[in-house]
Amino acid sequence: MSTTDVLIVGAGPTGLVLAIWLTKQGIPVRIIDKATTLATTTRALAVQARTLELYSQIGLGETIASRSAQLTGPNLWVGGSHRASLRFSDVAVGLTPYPFVSIFPQNEHEALLIDHLSSLGVGVERGTGLESFEEDTEAGSVKAVLQKVDGTTETCQAKYIAGCDGAHSAVRHNIGIGFPGGTYDQTFYVADIEATGRAMDGELHLCLDTSDFLGVFPLAKKGCARFIGIVRPSDNASPTATPCDLTFDDVRGRAVEEMKLENIRVNWFATYRSHHRVADHFRKGRAFLLGDAAHIHSPAGGQGMNTGIGDAINLAWKIAAVLNNRAHENLLDTYEEERIRFARKLVATTDKTFAFMTKRGWLAGFTRSLVVSYIMPILFRFKAIRRRAFHGLSQFILDYTGTSLSGTDNASGTARAGERLPWVQINGKDNHESLAHIEWQMHVYGTASEQLASWCKANGLRLTVIEWAPEYASAGITKDAAYLLRPDTYMALIDAKADPKNIENYFCQHQIHIGSD
């Protein structure tokens, strides 16, 4: 029987990120996937700004950004006419080093993560699936039966098991957690194509026609794009055809013609149904659910994969703290508390957006045309609307305020405990540089007292003192306050007095131990 600390089931982006973050924190892992080969077709595309910031912890933020098509807002089409270009770049610049949405195909994304994980000495075990597992309470572990592609089985003992194995998760089925929600009525198609025309200019184009829908997402290679649209078979399609029988010519619809796309060459085509579900719980005993195993969304906004990656980074530092004897096991309860509320909110939001974009009928089409042609362009003239749109899309809106791990925030600035640390760049240097270390740390903007500096040194807590500048006040940061940062870069506590006793009380309250033994 083999042993490991964490058995990760599923080697998509969520599972790979969990494996990388755990390995970098000294936790032995096994990562398995029943697929025998890496997928060569693209699925999820969008990598949001917050995900790129988190990837910067391991040096991949700039890598992905440099290999991506970078979007700063959509172009909207109705009835064969380009009606509006909505841009958020003016409000995004200065908020993040990544003021855009990166379009980076999932197969390339996974290959990059696999290479990074391999550089850490861990490989993906392909052709290996989870057959079953059970928790051994006395031993404090789970025993999993793994099935190889050749039909042989193996028993693996792990302290924890993480289900990153998608919508049909074997881990979720094994622990009997419900997955309520539904399936959208429409069948959608996805195609990777080469073409010519205005909509192949390297920007995002959405055709929200009265009777059709098409999204054209640029890929990094010039003249290449991902199409996502609604399946509406043409009059020439066989009446007995199923979605699996269809080709691009069957489903191209009015939108393709109205966007004046020509010389279309299809490199890959598939149809699919979209779902909206959130698991009743994200944890049961020593088993955790992450990514699509825990929540699945409509493709609206490109949020699903990014949310799964956020799940992994949130859980990784907590498991590492427990297994490294730095925290009580009850810290793991905060994973569900922090992540499930965002998943539920996200599903509800993307569901409404998706319904608006795809609902059929003349009234729905008329309303959509009216909103796209007149209302959206007017709304986007307001900076507050553009800022709110970018905050939601980038996942900056995701925070842990009001949860168990969010401490006091008695400073006068607008930053709050539980939020992402605001990014500020001055003269080419930014305050996120120290976040490359996956650990608890302290920031002070201005002057740190000798008492605080001595306490941080004695307790092995990294202290970064940054010279005060007015730009920090504009970002919501208070001069001379202490900003306690979690290993996932969210602010845990903000203390205007920068009193070491308040910092120490936070760690004692949450039974978290820092420093050397």
Side-chain angles (χ1 to χ4, degrees):
M1 180 171 62
S2 61
T3 61
T4 190
D5 278 6
V6 182
L7 175 63
I8 301 170
V9 183
T14 299
L16 291 167
V17 167
L18 181 62
I20 290 169
W21 255 257
L22 284 171
T23 301
K24 289 185 75 69
Q25 294 175 86
I27 304 301
V29 304
R30 282 186 70 179
I31 179 168
I32 64 172
D33 197 294
K34 62 182 180 181
T36 56
T37 59
L38 177 66
T40 57
T41 52
T42 65
R43 286 162 284 167
L45 285 173
V47 184
Q48 304 295 353
R50 182 56 181 149
T51 301
L52 291 173
E53 289 184 350
L54 293 168
Y55 273 167
S56 293
Q57 283 196 294
I58 59 171
L60 292 185
E62 287 294 334
T63 301
I64 291 177
S66 67
R67 298 183 186 180
S68 305
Q70 298 176 3
L71 307 183
T72 57
N75 296 280
L76 304 181
W77 294 64
V78 174
S81 298
H82 179 268
R83 296 300 178 90
S85 295
L86 308 182
R87 296 291 180 263
F88 51 70
S89 52
D90 66 313
V91 297
V93 172
L95 290 179
T96 173
Y98 309 105
F100 45 77
V101 178
S102 284
I103 300 299
F104 190 56
Q106 185 174 333
N107 57 313
E108 297 178 34
H109 193 158
E110 290 180 4
L112 181 65
L113 293 173
I114 288 170
D115 287 346
H116 192 84
L117 183 61
S118 179
S119 73
L120 300 176
V122 178
V124 175
E125 300 178 41
R126 296 207 169 272
T128 304
L130 176 70
E131 185 176 284
S132 64
F133 72 91
E134 59 182 17
E135 182 170 340
D136 186 335
T137 306
E138 292 185 3
S141 64
V142 297
K143 291 182 179 179
V145 178
L146 311 182
Q147 186 168 40
K148 306 286 187 175
V149 70
D150 61 5
T152 60
T153 60
E154 173 198 351
T155 301
C156 175
Q157 184 176 34
K159 294 175 182 176
Y160 296 102
I161 186 169
C164 307
D165 48 343
H168 302 288
S169 171
V171 174
R172 191 184 65 246
H173 286 299
N174 195 96
I175 56 181
I177 287 181
F179 202 35
T183 303
Y184 292 104
D185 294 335
Q186 301 93 333
T187 297
F188 293 84
Y189 71 82
V190 57
D192 284 352
I193 62 96
E194 298 176 42
T196 59
R198 179 175 176 181
M200 300 300 295
D201 60 358
E203 296 187 3
L204 171 62
H205 294 264
L206 299 177
C207 180
L208 301 172
D209 195 75
T210 55
S211 61
D212 210 348
F213 165 80
L214 174 66
V216 179
F217 297 81
L219 300 178
K221 183 179 178 181
K222 186 177 180 180
C224 295
R226 155 74 64 85
F227 282 14
I228 298 177
I230 297 176
V231 170
R232 290 190 177 121
S234 68
D235 294 337
N236 296 325
S238 168
T240 61
T242 67
C244 294
D245 298 323
L246 298 173
T247 68
F248 180 75
D249 287 336
D250 294 322
V251 303
R252 57 193 296 159
R254 285 176 50 190
V256 172
E257 308 303 328
E258 292 181 350
M259 294 178 81
K260 301 174 177 61
L261 297 168
E262 300 176 339
N263 305 313
I264 298 174
R265 175 183 173 184
V266 181
N267 296 322
W268 173 64
F269 174 83
T271 59
Y272 67 96
R273 299 291 297 276
S274 187
H275 310 269
H276 48 101
R277 300 178 183 274
V278 180
D280 289 329
H281 296 284
F282 286 8
R283 179 194 183 191
K284 184 176 181 181
R286 294 182 171 272
F288 297 88
L289 301 176
L290 302 85
D292 285 357
H295 45 80
I296 49 178
H297 322 259
S298 85
Q303 300 294 306
M305 179 183 67
N306 292 272
T307 306
I309 291 169
D311 292 343
I313 294 171
N314 182 288
L315 181 60
W317 75 264
K318 296 171 182 178
I319 287 182
V322 171
L323 292 179
N324 286 327
N325 296 316
R326 297 292 182 182
H328 189 276
E329 193 171 3
N330 60 17
L331 175 65
L332 300 177
D333 292 333
T334 66
Y335 165 67
E336 176 178 313
E337 177 193 9
E338 292 183 344
R339 298 304 297 180
I340 201 168
R341 73 173 188 175
F342 179 69
R344 288 171 174 163
K345 180 179 180 180
L346 182 61
V347 167
T349 302
T350 57
D351 187 40
K352 292 177 182 177
T353 303
F354 199 57
F356 169 77
M357 293 169 63
T358 61
K359 190 173 182 179
R360 299 181 183 181
W362 74 267
L363 181 59
F366 173 78
T367 303
R368 192 160 52 240
S369 297
L370 181 65
V371 170
V372 169
S373 299
Y374 302 105
I375 298 177
M376 290 292 288
I378 292 173
L379 289 176
F380 257 68
R381 293 176 186 173
F382 296 95
K383 189 173 183 178
I385 296 294
R386 298 196 301 277
R387 180 182 288 266
R388 183 174 180 84
F390 181 71
H391 269 257
L393 187 65
S394 64
Q395 296 204 343
F396 290 169
I397 199 171
L398 190 161
D399 64 59
Y400 306 130
T401 57
T403 58
S404 299
L405 292 180
S406 296
T408 58
D409 48 14
N410 56 22
S412 59
T414 56
R416 292 289 174 261
E419 295 178 342
R420 152 193 177 268
L421 176 70
W423 179 81
V424 180
Q425 185 181 55
I426 300 174
N427 297 326
K429 298 194 68 176
D430 67 76
N431 63 325
H432 278 205
E433 290 180 6
S434 73
L435 304 186
H437 303 277
I438 306 175
E439 62 184 9
W440 287 93
Q441 55 186 287
M442 184 78 73
H443 274 200
V444 173
Y445 297 82
T447 303
S449 67
E450 291 185 10
Q451 184 183 19
L452 180 64
S454 297
W455 186 91
C456 288
K457 183 177 181 179
N459 288 276
L461 185 68
R462 182 182 301 274
L463 172 63
T464 301
V465 180
I466 299 173
E467 183 179 356
W468 179 253
E471 289 86 345
Y472 295 115
S474 300
I477 294 172
T478 299
K479 185 179 181 180
D480 298 338
Y483 289 80
L484 178 64
L485 306 177
R486 302 173 5 164
D488 59 0
T489 76
Y490 286 86
M491 296 179 288
L493 175 145
I494 305 171
D495 184 23
K497 297 180 179 179
D499 187 344
K501 290 182 180 178
N502 294 333
I503 311 300
E504 190 165 350
N505 287 340
Y506 175 89
F507 286 115
C508 290
Q509 176 186 350
H510 297 290
Q511 298 177 276
I512 297 171
H513 176 63
I514 58 172
S516 57
D517 293 321

